[in-house]
Amino acid sequence: MTRARMFALALTGVVATALIGGCSSATESAPASPSGAGSGSITVFAAASLKSAFTEIGEQFKTDNPGSSVEFSFAGSSDLVTQLTQGADADVFASADTRNMDKAVSADLVEGGPVNFATNTLTIAVAPGNPKGIKTFADLAKPGTTVVVCAPPVPCGGATEKVEKATGVTLSPVSEETSVTDVLGKVTSGQADAGLVYVTDAAGAGDKVSNVAFPEAAQAVNTYPIAVLKQSGHADLAHRFVDLVTGEAGQKALAKAGFAKP
């Protein structure tokens, strides 16, 4: 082989090595592609009574955070906190009372402190036109009146117990449900003459029910707290959702659904 040929081959090798090294260096030093800061999906565990308001707030959240989404799991607050303590995956928890939020705090599930964002009050939901003529809380204890309430661990059930103690009236419900929406369903389907639900649920049912306000409900106003969970994989988005709920837009949606301020 001639010297010229050997030189050409050597030069080719040097150039190839330089190119490979350059590519490797460029690869190593290239910045990582954006992970979509501010985008992603969060899961919100929320009390059943929040479904209407939070669905509207969820749409606003997606508008405010392009590329992000929010999934909701609505149920009785006691069921939700049980799921969380057993390892269910969620980013935010919104309870219909402080008692169940306290359980989440005690289980070390909450990041920072919960924030109160709304209050709700009981009312009596009856069939349209109130055929049983129910006018007071005491009327629910009359013989022949079928009444449905929430189970005691559920916030609306706890509120019902408070009213019973305040009035001295003991109810004999035909069933105790695990969420306020289930109580409402028993009334709208004709399976019960009356049910103790929140004013927001009665309002949301429209002409499917009539509602009977009673003054003793003021003895059992429920305060709703919300908190970001420590396990959240999108803590920034979770905080944004909480900020939306507690901010002007969220409060407007809650007020429209019948909630009062905390």
Side-chain angles (χ1 to χ4, degrees), residues 10-236:
L11 182 60
T12 300
V14 170
V15 172
T17 301
L19 287 172
I20 292 172
C23 289
S24 175
S25 176
T27 300
E28 292 173 359
S29 61
S33 60
S35 60
S39 65
S41 178
I42 60 171
T43 298
V44 176
F45 274 26
S49 52
L50 290 166
K51 185 173 183 178
S52 176
F54 267 30
T55 298
E56 180 176 335
I57 291 172
E59 292 302 313
Q60 184 64 50
F61 178 80
K62 288 187 285 187
T63 298
D64 293 347
N65 300 276
S68 299
S69 62
V70 55
E71 302 293 332
F72 293 104
S73 179
F74 295 108
S77 299
S78 57
D79 283 348
L80 292 174
V81 77
T82 296
Q83 292 176 42
L84 289 172
T85 56
Q86 292 178 349
D89 188 24
D91 301 276
V92 176
F93 176 43
S95 174
D97 66 352
T98 55
R99 178 179 58 176
N100 282 292
M101 179 60 78
D102 288 344
K103 292 178 182 178
V105 172
S106 296
D108 198 29
L109 299 176
V110 172
E111 177 187 301
V115 180
N116 296 333
F117 66 93
T119 55
N120 214 347
T121 309
L122 290 177
T123 192
I124 302 169
V126 297
N130 194 8
K132 286 286 187 174
I134 295 170
K135 297 179 180 179
T136 67
F137 183 82
D139 285 344
L140 297 177
K142 288 182 177 180
T145 302
T146 56
V147 180
V148 180
V149 301
C150 290
V154 184
C156 54
T160 298
E161 287 188 324
K162 289 180 182 178
V163 175
E164 287 181 291
K165 290 177 182 178
T167 60
V169 175
T170 301
L171 303 181
S172 299
V174 294
S175 70
E176 296 181 339
E177 304 298 325
T178 58
S179 75
V180 68
T181 50
D182 290 339
V183 173
L184 186 65
K186 294 285 187 180
V187 178
T188 58
S189 64
Q191 298 178 65
D193 298 322
L196 282 164
V197 302
Y198 295 121
V199 294
T200 53
D201 296 284
D207 59 6
K208 293 181 180 179
V209 298
S210 294
N211 83 88
V212 179
F214 57 100
E216 297 90 348
Q219 305 283 334
V221 176
N222 274 14
T223 297
Y224 285 54
I226 188 170
V228 173
L229 299 173
K230 287 184 177 180
Q231 64 173 319
S232 174
H234 296 280
D236 180 58

Side-chain angles (χ1 to χ4, degrees), residues 1-16:
M1 183 180 297
T2 65
R3 290 184 179 181
R5 177 63 174 165
M6 292 175 62
F7 178 78
L9 290 173
L11 182 60
T12 300
V14 170
V15 172

